[in-house]
Amino acid sequence: MVFVSPPPKSPVILRTLLDRYIFTELLSPFGLSLGALCFVMLTRELLRLVELLVSKGVGLWSVLKVIAMLLPSGLVLTLPIAGLIASITAFGRLSYDKELVAMRAAGLSLFRLSQPVFLFALTVFGLTLVLSQWGQPWSSLNLKKVALNLLKDQLVLALERGTFNEPIPHMVIYVPDAVDGRSTKGIFVSDERTAKEPRIIVAEDYQVFMDQANNQVALRLVNGVIHTRPDQVDQYRLVSFASYDIKLSLSQSSYAAAEERPTYDQIMAMIRQGGEKDSTGLRRLMEYYKDLAFPTASLVFCLLGVPVGIVSKRSGRVGGFAVGVLIIIVFYVLNVACDFLVTTMLISPFIGAWMPNIVFIVATIILFIKMSRQ
C-alpha cells in the first residue's frame, strides 16, 4: 500500500487565511471602541433624553427615535477614531506576540500584510462618506419632525389635570382636576418667557395643534383673559380675548433640532454678500470641503495604525486606545490651527480642510517605509 502525502497548501490559500485572520483581529477592538466612543459622544444628549423620559413623561418610542436620528452624526465622528484604534490595537497585539515576526519571516512584507487593513480602511471610509453626505442631512430633516412631536408630547402631558407642569422653561400650565367626579373646564398658564413682561393667562377651554411648516406647536385658548404686569411696578393691564394662540418653537423646547447645513451656492452667496473677509462664510466653506476631507481621514487613520501599532506593541488594548486618542488630539489641534489660518486669510478654505490629511498621509508613508526596513 502506498501512502500519498497531501499536497502542500498553496501560498495563495495561506495568504487568504492570513488576510482573514488579520481582518478578524481588527473587528473586536473596532466594535468595542466604536461603542464606547458613541456612548461618550451621545452622553450629553442621552442625559437630556432621559430627563424627558423620566421627568417630562415623554414616550420611550419617541426617545428611541431621537437617538436613532442622532446616530449618523455621532458615527461620522467616531468611525475614523474607532478604525485608528482598531488598527493600532490589532498590529500591536500581533507584534507583541511575535506573530508578525513569523509572518514576515515567511516572506510576507509589511505592505502585503497591510492589504486586509486597506480593505478594512475602505469599508470605514465608505461608511463615513455615506453617513456624511446622505445620513446627516436625512437625520437632520427627520430630527425636526421628531423634535416637534416631542414638544407636542411635552405640551399634552402638561395638560394633565390637577398637576402643575413646565413643558418648556419659564412656562407653567395647570388644568383643574375633576370635582365630585364631574370634569371641569378651564386652564391656567404662567408665561415668563419674556422676563420684562410676565403674563398670567386664564381661559375656559383649549386645544393643541402643530404648525410643521414653521416648526411650532400652538396652544389655542378660548374665552379668557391675560393679566400683564410690565416692567413698571405701578402699571397693570387686563386683556380679554375670544381666541388666543400661544406658540412654542423648537428653540424653546428642552430638545432643539439640529441646524441644517447650507449648500455650496448658499455659502458662496454668503461670502459675496459679506465680502471676501467674512470669517463666517470662509469657515462655512471650509466645513463644506471637510464633508469629503474628514471621511478621507478615516482611510489614512486605519493605515497609520499599522506602523504605530508595531511601535507601541507593549501598550496593549488600553494603550492602543490611549495612543489613538493622542493621535486624534493632534489631528484636532491641526484642524483648529487651519481654521485660524483660514479665518485670517493666510490659506484658502480648501487647503485648510485638507492640510491635516496631507500631514498625516506624509507621516503614514514615512512610518511605513521605516517599519518595512526593520
Side-chain angles (χ1 to χ4, degrees):
M1 183 179 295
V2 179
F3 294 95
V4 179
S5 60
K9 290 186 177 180
S10 171
V12 177
I13 298 177
L14 180 60
R15 290 183 179 184
T16 303
L17 293 175
L18 284 175
D19 288 342
R20 292 176 181 175
Y21 178 71
I22 294 173
F23 193 89
T24 305
E25 195 71 22
L26 293 165
L27 295 179
S28 176
F30 176 75
L32 291 174
S33 56
L34 183 63
L37 289 168
C38 284
F39 179 79
V40 173
M41 191 71 64
L42 298 177
T43 296
R44 179 185 174 186
E45 303 297 339
L46 288 174
L47 291 175
R48 295 169 63 186
L49 292 172
V50 169
E51 180 184 1
L52 291 177
L53 183 63
V54 176
S55 62
K56 303 296 183 181
V58 175
L60 177 61
W61 179 242
S62 297
V63 172
L64 292 177
K65 284 195 291 185
V66 171
I67 295 175
M69 295 301 107
L70 290 173
L71 274 178
S73 297
L75 288 173
V76 168
L77 297 175
T78 55
L79 278 170
I81 305 174
L84 172 64
I85 294 173
S87 184
I88 293 175
T89 304
F91 273 79
R93 208 278 302 169
L94 291 174
S95 180
Y96 182 75
D97 291 343
K98 307 300 181 183
E99 294 182 25
L100 196 61
V101 176
M103 295 176 190
R104 298 187 67 178
L108 300 176
S109 66
L110 182 61
F111 294 99
R112 175 60 189 84
L113 294 173
S114 301
Q115 286 186 9
V117 182
F118 185 71
L119 177 61
F120 176 77
L122 284 176
T123 304
V124 176
F125 166 74
L127 288 174
T128 308
L129 182 63
V130 169
L131 290 172
S132 176
Q133 298 294 323
W134 295 281
Q136 281 185 321
W138 172 83
S139 64
S140 178
L141 179 64
N142 286 275
L143 189 57
K144 283 191 174 183
K145 298 178 182 178
V146 175
L148 191 62
N149 288 323
L150 278 177
L151 181 57
K152 181 185 177 183
D153 290 344
Q154 292 181 59
L155 185 57
V156 171
L157 289 167
L159 302 178
E160 291 182 353
R161 296 183 177 275
T163 305
F164 286 92
N165 284 285
E166 188 177 6
I168 64 172
H170 309 297
M171 176 178 283
V172 177
I173 298 178
Y174 176 80
V175 178
D177 202 354
V179 178
D180 298 329
R182 294 176 299 176
S183 60
T184 57
K185 291 186 176 182
I187 184 172
F188 169 89
V189 180
S190 174
D191 187 359
E192 297 183 358
R193 290 175 295 173
T194 304
K196 294 183 178 180
E197 194 173 347
R199 299 178 299 171
I200 299 295
I201 307 173
V202 181
E204 292 182 1
D205 205 355
Y206 61 86
Q207 67 182 68
V208 179
F209 64 94
M210 285 198 304
D211 182 7
Q212 294 188 356
N214 297 315
N215 296 320
Q216 289 181 333
V217 175
L219 177 63
R220 177 163 293 171
L221 306 179
V222 180
N223 297 330
V225 293
I226 303 175
H227 303 268
T228 306
R229 182 182 63 80
D231 197 25
Q232 292 78 7
V233 179
D234 57 343
Q235 293 187 12
Y236 171 77
R237 286 186 299 184
L238 179 64
V239 179
S240 300
F241 60 85
S243 178
Y244 181 74
D245 293 344
I246 300 178
K247 295 184 178 180
L248 312 177
S249 64
L250 287 179
S251 59
Q252 298 171 319
S253 174
S254 300
Y255 185 81
E259 180 184 1
E260 290 185 5
R261 295 180 300 177
T263 62
Y264 179 79
D265 293 335
Q266 292 174 338
I267 295 172
M268 296 307 296
M270 184 189 305
I271 294 175
R272 285 192 296 267
Q273 183 178 1
E276 295 182 356
K277 295 184 179 180
D278 182 16
S279 60
T280 303
L282 293 173
R283 189 178 290 109
R284 290 279 192 178
L285 185 57
M286 180 179 173
E287 293 297 328
Y288 175 82
Y289 289 130
K290 280 185 178 180
D291 286 344
L292 180 59
F294 193 78
T296 306
S298 64
L299 186 66
V300 179
F301 285 158
C302 292
L303 297 176
L304 176 62
V306 175
V308 172
I310 297 173
V311 173
S312 58
K313 60 184 178 180
R314 295 185 179 275
S315 57
R317 292 184 181 270
V318 178
F321 187 89
V323 173
V325 170
L326 180 62
I327 292 175
I328 295 300
I329 292 174
V330 175
F331 183 79
Y332 174 77
V333 171
L334 283 174
N335 274 277
V336 172
C338 290
D339 185 84
F340 173 76
L341 294 175
V342 168
T343 53
T344 54
M345 301 187 65
L346 294 176
I347 60 176
S348 67
F350 181 83
I351 295 177
W354 285 91
M355 181 64 73
N357 285 2
I358 295 172
V359 172
F360 274 78
I361 288 172
V362 173
T364 302
I365 294 174
I366 293 174
L367 287 175
F368 251 103
I369 295 174
K370 184 178 179 181
M371 290 297 104
S372 63
R373 290 176 178 176
Q374 292 183 357

